[in-house]
Short mmCIF file of all heavy atoms in Angstrom, two decimals:
data_model
loop_
_atom_site.label_atom_id
_atom_site.label_comp_id
_atom_site.label_asym_id
_atom_site.label_seq_id
_atom_site.Cartn_x
_atom_site.Cartn_y
_atom_site.Cartn_z
N VAL V 1 0.58 -3.99 -8.17
CA VAL V 1 -0.34 -4.02 -9.23
C VAL V 1 -0.76 -2.66 -9.76
O VAL V 1 -1.23 -1.85 -8.97
CB VAL V 1 -1.61 -4.88 -8.90
CG1 VAL V 1 -2.57 -4.86 -9.96
CG2 VAL V 1 -1.17 -6.35 -8.64
N VAL V 2 -0.56 -2.40 -11.00
CA VAL V 2 -0.98 -1.13 -11.64
C VAL V 2 -2.18 -1.29 -12.39
O VAL V 2 -2.27 -2.20 -13.23
CB VAL V 2 0.18 -0.61 -12.57
CG1 VAL V 2 -0.14 0.70 -13.20
CG2 VAL V 2 1.51 -0.57 -11.80
N HIS V 3 -3.23 -0.50 -12.06
CA HIS V 3 -4.57 -0.64 -12.75
C HIS V 3 -5.28 0.67 -12.71
O HIS V 3 -5.43 1.27 -11.57
CB HIS V 3 -5.35 -1.75 -12.06
CG HIS V 3 -6.69 -1.93 -12.63
ND1 HIS V 3 -6.94 -2.68 -13.81
CD2 HIS V 3 -7.88 -1.47 -12.23
CE1 HIS V 3 -8.20 -2.63 -14.04
NE2 HIS V 3 -8.86 -1.98 -13.14
N ASP V 4 -5.69 1.18 -13.83
CA ASP V 4 -6.63 2.26 -13.90
C ASP V 4 -6.14 3.48 -13.17
O ASP V 4 -6.87 4.11 -12.35
CB ASP V 4 -7.98 1.91 -13.50
CG ASP V 4 -9.10 2.83 -13.87
OD1 ASP V 4 -8.89 3.63 -14.91
OD2 ASP V 4 -10.15 2.85 -13.30
N GLY V 5 -4.84 3.86 -13.29
CA GLY V 5 -4.29 5.09 -12.71
C GLY V 5 -3.90 4.90 -11.25
O GLY V 5 -3.56 5.96 -10.60
N LEU V 6 -3.83 3.67 -10.76
CA LEU V 6 -3.44 3.39 -9.41
C LEU V 6 -2.42 2.26 -9.33
O LEU V 6 -2.44 1.45 -10.16
CB LEU V 6 -4.62 3.03 -8.47
CG LEU V 6 -5.64 4.20 -8.18
CD1 LEU V 6 -6.79 3.56 -7.39
CD2 LEU V 6 -5.07 5.37 -7.47
N VAL V 7 -1.59 2.38 -8.34
CA VAL V 7 -0.70 1.18 -8.04
C VAL V 7 -0.99 0.74 -6.56
O VAL V 7 -1.16 1.54 -5.66
CB VAL V 7 0.79 1.57 -8.21
CG1 VAL V 7 1.16 2.79 -7.32
CG2 VAL V 7 1.70 0.38 -7.80
N CYS V 8 -1.28 -0.55 -6.50
CA CYS V 8 -1.70 -1.21 -5.25
C CYS V 8 -0.88 -2.21 -4.69
O CYS V 8 -0.45 -3.05 -5.50
CB CYS V 8 -3.19 -1.67 -5.29
SG CYS V 8 -4.35 -0.47 -6.04
N VAL V 9 -0.65 -2.32 -3.36
CA VAL V 9 0.22 -3.29 -2.78
C VAL V 9 -0.03 -3.41 -1.31
O VAL V 9 -0.40 -2.42 -0.65
CB VAL V 9 1.70 -3.00 -3.10
CG1 VAL V 9 2.22 -1.92 -2.15
CG2 VAL V 9 2.55 -4.29 -2.88
N ALA V 10 0.12 -4.67 -0.81
CA ALA V 10 -0.04 -4.94 0.61
C ALA V 10 1.30 -5.28 1.25
O ALA V 10 2.27 -5.70 0.63
CB ALA V 10 -0.98 -6.15 0.78
N ILE V 11 1.31 -5.06 2.60
CA ILE V 11 2.61 -5.39 3.37
C ILE V 11 2.43 -6.73 3.99
O ILE V 11 1.25 -7.26 4.19
CB ILE V 11 2.93 -4.33 4.41
CG1 ILE V 11 1.70 -4.22 5.47
CG2 ILE V 11 3.19 -3.03 3.81
CD1 ILE V 11 2.05 -3.41 6.64
N GLY V 12 3.51 -7.46 4.27
CA GLY V 12 3.45 -8.66 4.84
C GLY V 12 4.91 -9.20 5.27
O GLY V 12 5.80 -8.64 5.03
N GLN V 13 4.86 -10.44 5.84
CA GLN V 13 6.11 -11.08 6.26
C GLN V 13 6.15 -12.57 5.95
O GLN V 13 5.11 -13.03 5.55
CB GLN V 13 6.25 -10.91 7.76
CG GLN V 13 6.42 -9.47 8.31
CD GLN V 13 6.65 -9.41 9.77
OE1 GLN V 13 7.13 -10.39 10.46
NE2 GLN V 13 6.36 -8.31 10.39
N ASP V 14 7.33 -13.00 6.02
CA ASP V 14 7.53 -14.50 5.89
C ASP V 14 6.38 -15.24 6.70
O ASP V 14 6.27 -14.94 7.87
CB ASP V 14 8.89 -14.89 6.43
CG ASP V 14 9.34 -16.33 6.32
OD1 ASP V 14 8.28 -17.21 6.12
OD2 ASP V 14 10.46 -16.73 6.33
N PRO V 15 5.69 -16.11 6.14
CA PRO V 15 4.62 -16.86 6.84
C PRO V 15 5.14 -17.56 8.09
O PRO V 15 4.33 -17.77 9.03
CB PRO V 15 4.10 -17.91 5.81
CG PRO V 15 4.36 -17.22 4.49
CD PRO V 15 5.65 -16.52 4.66
N GLU V 16 6.44 -17.87 8.18
CA GLU V 16 6.98 -18.48 9.35
C GLU V 16 6.87 -17.60 10.63
O GLU V 16 6.98 -17.99 11.76
CB GLU V 16 8.40 -18.88 9.13
CG GLU V 16 8.67 -20.00 8.15
CD GLU V 16 8.09 -21.29 8.56
OE1 GLU V 16 8.07 -21.53 9.78
OE2 GLU V 16 7.77 -22.10 7.67
N HIS V 17 6.69 -16.28 10.35
CA HIS V 17 6.52 -15.31 11.40
C HIS V 17 5.13 -15.29 12.02
O HIS V 17 4.89 -14.58 12.95
CB HIS V 17 6.92 -13.92 10.94
CG HIS V 17 8.37 -13.83 10.51
ND1 HIS V 17 8.91 -12.64 9.96
CD2 HIS V 17 9.42 -14.69 10.60
CE1 HIS V 17 10.16 -12.89 9.67
NE2 HIS V 17 10.44 -14.15 10.07
N GLY V 18 4.22 -15.91 11.34
CA GLY V 18 2.78 -15.88 11.79
C GLY V 18 1.92 -14.73 11.25
O GLY V 18 2.49 -13.98 10.45
N THR V 19 0.74 -14.75 11.70
CA THR V 19 -0.18 -13.61 11.27
C THR V 19 0.19 -12.35 12.10
O THR V 19 0.79 -12.38 13.16
CB THR V 19 -1.60 -14.10 11.48
OG1 THR V 19 -1.84 -14.41 12.85
CG2 THR V 19 -1.98 -15.28 10.65
N GLY V 20 -0.37 -11.24 11.63
CA GLY V 20 -0.15 -9.93 12.23
C GLY V 20 -0.95 -8.91 11.54
O GLY V 20 -1.68 -9.15 10.58
N LYS V 21 -0.82 -7.65 11.92
CA LYS V 21 -1.49 -6.55 11.32
C LYS V 21 -0.89 -6.22 9.99
O LYS V 21 0.29 -6.14 9.80
CB LYS V 21 -1.44 -5.30 12.24
CG LYS V 21 -2.11 -5.45 13.55
CD LYS V 21 -2.01 -4.21 14.43
CE LYS V 21 -2.76 -3.07 13.77
NZ LYS V 21 -2.81 -1.88 14.74
N GLY V 22 -1.75 -5.99 8.98
CA GLY V 22 -1.31 -5.62 7.67
C GLY V 22 -1.91 -4.33 7.17
O GLY V 22 -2.48 -3.61 8.10
N SER V 23 -1.65 -3.98 5.98
CA SER V 23 -2.20 -2.77 5.39
C SER V 23 -2.11 -2.84 3.89
O SER V 23 -1.19 -3.42 3.36
CB SER V 23 -1.47 -1.52 5.87
OG SER V 23 -2.01 -0.29 5.45
N LEU V 24 -3.15 -2.28 3.22
CA LEU V 24 -3.18 -2.35 1.73
C LEU V 24 -3.36 -0.92 1.29
O LEU V 24 -4.27 -0.23 1.73
CB LEU V 24 -4.37 -3.14 1.31
CG LEU V 24 -4.70 -3.13 -0.20
CD1 LEU V 24 -3.64 -3.64 -1.09
CD2 LEU V 24 -5.98 -3.88 -0.50
N SER V 25 -2.41 -0.39 0.46
CA SER V 25 -2.47 0.93 -0.09
C SER V 25 -2.63 0.99 -1.56
O SER V 25 -2.06 0.14 -2.27
CB SER V 25 -1.18 1.69 0.33
OG SER V 25 -1.03 1.75 1.68
N CYS V 26 -3.37 2.02 -2.06
CA CYS V 26 -3.50 2.22 -3.51
C CYS V 26 -3.22 3.77 -3.74
O CYS V 26 -3.76 4.68 -3.03
CB CYS V 26 -4.87 1.93 -4.00
SG CYS V 26 -5.12 0.16 -4.24
N MET V 27 -2.38 4.11 -4.64
CA MET V 27 -1.96 5.44 -4.91
C MET V 27 -1.60 5.65 -6.36
O MET V 27 -1.37 4.71 -7.17
CB MET V 27 -0.82 5.84 -3.92
CG MET V 27 0.41 4.93 -4.20
SD MET V 27 1.62 5.20 -2.89
CE MET V 27 1.81 6.95 -2.85
N SER V 28 -1.57 6.95 -6.76
CA SER V 28 -1.16 7.22 -8.17
C SER V 28 0.31 6.95 -8.37
O SER V 28 1.10 7.15 -7.45
CB SER V 28 -1.43 8.66 -8.43
OG SER V 28 -0.80 9.14 -9.57
N PRO V 29 0.77 6.36 -9.52
CA PRO V 29 2.10 6.17 -9.83
C PRO V 29 2.93 7.39 -10.07
O PRO V 29 4.14 7.37 -10.23
CB PRO V 29 2.07 5.16 -10.99
CG PRO V 29 0.82 5.52 -11.74
CD PRO V 29 -0.18 5.94 -10.64
N GLU V 30 2.19 8.48 -10.17
CA GLU V 30 2.89 9.85 -10.43
C GLU V 30 3.28 10.41 -9.10
O GLU V 30 2.81 10.11 -8.05
CB GLU V 30 1.92 10.73 -11.14
CG GLU V 30 1.42 10.30 -12.50
CD GLU V 30 0.50 11.41 -13.10
OE1 GLU V 30 0.91 12.49 -13.13
OE2 GLU V 30 -0.54 10.95 -13.63
N GLY V 31 4.30 11.31 -9.11
CA GLY V 31 4.75 12.03 -7.88
C GLY V 31 6.24 12.12 -7.87
O GLY V 31 6.95 11.61 -8.70
N GLU V 32 6.75 12.79 -6.76
CA GLU V 32 8.12 13.05 -6.56
C GLU V 32 8.35 13.00 -5.06
O GLU V 32 7.61 13.29 -4.23
CB GLU V 32 8.56 14.43 -7.11
CG GLU V 32 8.32 14.64 -8.61
CD GLU V 32 9.36 13.88 -9.44
OE1 GLU V 32 10.36 13.48 -8.89
OE2 GLU V 32 9.17 13.65 -10.62
N GLY V 33 9.58 12.65 -4.68
CA GLY V 33 10.02 12.67 -3.33
C GLY V 33 9.40 11.64 -2.37
O GLY V 33 8.82 10.66 -2.81
N ASP V 34 9.37 11.96 -1.08
CA ASP V 34 8.86 11.04 -0.03
C ASP V 34 7.30 11.41 0.00
O ASP V 34 6.91 12.50 0.42
CB ASP V 34 9.46 11.26 1.26
CG ASP V 34 9.09 10.20 2.28
OD1 ASP V 34 7.84 9.69 2.22
OD2 ASP V 34 9.79 9.80 3.10
N ARG V 35 6.43 10.46 -0.37
CA ARG V 35 5.01 10.70 -0.46
C ARG V 35 4.22 10.19 0.77
O ARG V 35 3.02 10.11 0.80
CB ARG V 35 4.44 10.20 -1.79
CG ARG V 35 5.05 10.78 -2.97
CD ARG V 35 4.55 10.06 -4.27
NE ARG V 35 3.14 10.10 -4.44
CZ ARG V 35 2.47 9.39 -5.29
NH1 ARG V 35 3.18 8.58 -6.14
NH2 ARG V 35 1.16 9.49 -5.38
N THR V 36 5.02 9.78 1.77
CA THR V 36 4.33 9.14 3.00
C THR V 36 3.37 10.09 3.71
O THR V 36 2.21 9.73 3.94
CB THR V 36 5.48 8.73 4.02
OG1 THR V 36 6.35 7.84 3.28
CG2 THR V 36 4.77 7.96 5.08
N LYS V 37 3.80 11.32 3.95
CA LYS V 37 2.94 12.26 4.60
C LYS V 37 1.70 12.64 3.80
O LYS V 37 0.55 12.78 4.33
CB LYS V 37 3.64 13.51 5.01
CG LYS V 37 4.66 13.31 6.17
CD LYS V 37 5.27 14.55 6.61
CE LYS V 37 6.27 14.31 7.77
NZ LYS V 37 6.93 15.64 8.23
N ALA V 38 1.89 12.79 2.49
CA ALA V 38 0.78 13.08 1.59
C ALA V 38 -0.28 12.01 1.66
O ALA V 38 -1.52 12.24 1.50
CB ALA V 38 1.23 13.41 0.24
N GLY V 39 0.14 10.75 1.76
CA GLY V 39 -0.79 9.62 1.93
C GLY V 39 -1.13 9.08 0.53
O GLY V 39 -1.01 9.76 -0.51
N PRO V 40 -1.71 7.82 0.52
CA PRO V 40 -2.20 7.25 -0.68
C PRO V 40 -3.62 7.78 -1.12
O PRO V 40 -4.13 8.58 -0.42
CB PRO V 40 -2.26 5.80 -0.32
CG PRO V 40 -2.68 5.83 1.17
CD PRO V 40 -1.92 7.02 1.76
N ALA V 41 -4.05 7.28 -2.21
CA ALA V 41 -5.46 7.62 -2.64
C ALA V 41 -6.40 7.00 -1.57
O ALA V 41 -7.41 7.69 -1.19
CB ALA V 41 -5.75 7.05 -4.06
N TRP V 42 -6.10 5.79 -1.15
CA TRP V 42 -6.82 5.17 -0.09
C TRP V 42 -6.03 4.03 0.50
O TRP V 42 -5.11 3.58 -0.10
CB TRP V 42 -8.20 4.64 -0.58
CG TRP V 42 -8.23 3.62 -1.67
CD1 TRP V 42 -8.45 3.85 -3.02
CD2 TRP V 42 -8.07 2.19 -1.52
NE1 TRP V 42 -8.38 2.74 -3.68
CE2 TRP V 42 -8.18 1.63 -2.79
CE3 TRP V 42 -7.91 1.37 -0.42
CZ2 TRP V 42 -8.12 0.30 -3.02
CZ3 TRP V 42 -7.71 -0.02 -0.60
CH2 TRP V 42 -7.86 -0.53 -2.00
N ARG V 43 -6.32 3.70 1.78
CA ARG V 43 -5.61 2.64 2.50
C ARG V 43 -6.54 1.84 3.27
O ARG V 43 -7.61 2.39 3.89
CB ARG V 43 -4.58 3.30 3.41
CG ARG V 43 -3.56 2.32 4.02
CD ARG V 43 -2.60 3.05 5.02
NE ARG V 43 -3.31 3.26 6.29
CZ ARG V 43 -2.84 4.08 7.19
NH1 ARG V 43 -1.77 4.80 6.99
NH2 ARG V 43 -3.40 4.14 8.38
N TYR V 44 -6.35 0.49 3.30
CA TYR V 44 -7.36 -0.36 4.03
C TYR V 44 -6.46 -1.14 5.10
O TYR V 44 -5.66 -1.90 4.73
CB TYR V 44 -7.93 -1.30 3.01
CG TYR V 44 -8.77 -2.39 3.61
CD1 TYR V 44 -9.92 -2.12 4.32
CD2 TYR V 44 -8.48 -3.73 3.47
CE1 TYR V 44 -10.77 -3.14 4.92
CE2 TYR V 44 -9.19 -4.82 4.01
CZ TYR V 44 -10.33 -4.45 4.74
OH TYR V 44 -11.13 -5.44 5.26
N ASP V 45 -6.81 -0.87 6.34
CA ASP V 45 -6.05 -1.62 7.41
C ASP V 45 -6.73 -2.76 7.99
O ASP V 45 -6.40 -3.31 9.09
CB ASP V 45 -5.75 -0.53 8.51
CG ASP V 45 -4.84 0.59 8.08
OD1 ASP V 45 -4.11 0.37 7.09
OD2 ASP V 45 -4.78 1.65 8.72
N GLY V 46 -7.86 -3.14 7.41
CA GLY V 46 -8.67 -4.30 7.95
C GLY V 46 -8.09 -5.65 7.45
O GLY V 46 -8.70 -6.65 7.81
#
């Protein structure tokens, strides 16, 4: 989802796999290369 200068998305699996740990990240849609180490604007692991 792109909104107000950020792109946000959560990770997940086929519900048949059951519940588990997730994570939600929001970051700028601008950038180059692998941005994993630089990190998102914010991340929610709850």
Side-chain angles (χ1 to χ4, degrees):
V1 171
V2 181
H3 178 81
D4 197 19
L6 292 175
V7 54
C8 304
V9 74
I11 59 172
Q13 296 186 21
D14 182 338
E16 294 292 334
H17 297 173
T19 59
K21 295 181 67 174
S23 185
L24 169 66
S25 298
C26 283
M27 60 196 305
S28 168
E30 301 183 45
E32 299 286 341
D34 192 331
R35 300 173 59 188
T36 304
K37 288 185 178 180
W42 60 263
R43 193 181 79 197
Y44 175 64
D45 294 339

